Amino acid sequence: MSQKDAIITPAEIVNTALSWGHKAIAVTDHGNVQAFPEVMLAYESAEKKAKEKGMLTVLNPAPASVEIKKYLSYVDIITPNETELEILGGKDGLLGAGIQTVITTLGAQGYEIATSEGAKIYPCIKVKAVDTTAAGD
């Protein structure tokens, strides 16, 4: 099977989610975008098709790239960390692009939820880390 044959189409993603009764779609892992431009196209198409079907769309822009800006108009909620937020134009830039909610992860400080009505920072739940393998930020 070639790499091209292994790619799931955006229509398959959206139709499967809808057939399972889901009302939202989340797109994440842009790690292969620069190596495989077709991955970016698939993400864009999935977000667009989901919006056309009336689904809520959530995007985790990790790792962030300015290329992601091309399809922010299809995103309802975005979850960048502070570095990704800066790369994508900041909270005001994302809200101005039509994103309804920006949830910025702030590491040990918690997270910020921002909408056009304002922003609020929420603290993290403190835990004792036992194993941080694959924990992200």
Side-chain angles (χ1 to χ4, degrees):
M1 176 186 309
S2 73
Q3 179 183 340
K4 185 176 180 181
D5 294 335
I7 293 175
I8 297 172
T9 68
E12 290 172 317
I13 294 168
V14 173
N15 290 336
T16 299
L18 287 170
S19 73
W20 291 349
H22 295 290
K23 303 291 185 213
I25 186 171
V27 176
T28 187
D29 189 15
H30 289 83
N32 293 320
V33 169
Q34 292 182 1
F36 305 109
E38 65 272 15
V39 173
M40 177 65 82
L41 180 60
Y43 286 154
E44 178 180 4
S45 297
E47 293 278 3
K48 182 179 180 182
K49 287 191 178 302
K51 289 297 288 183
E52 289 170 356
K53 301 276 188 177
M55 298 176 80
L56 177 74
T57 58
V58 181
L59 174 67
N60 178 342
S65 162
V66 294
E67 294 296 314
I68 295 170
K69 289 182 173 184
K70 293 178 189 176
Y71 61 99
L72 292 179
S73 62
Y74 306 120
V75 177
D76 295 309
I77 300 170
I78 193 165
T79 61
N81 64 26
E82 293 169 282
T83 302
E84 294 158 351
L85 180 66
E86 185 177 321
I87 290 169
L88 296 173
K91 176 176 45 181
D92 292 335
L94 292 173
L95 293 170
I99 294 175
Q100 297 169 15
T101 306
V102 178
I103 303 172
T104 307
T105 58
L106 306 172
Q109 286 70 50
Y111 58 98
E112 178 186 64
I113 298 178
T115 67
S116 60
E117 296 176 11
K120 182 175 180 183
I121 294 177
Y122 296 87
C124 286
I125 297 171
K126 303 296 180 193
V127 298
K128 180 182 177 189
V130 176
D131 181 359
T132 60
T133 304
D137 68 339

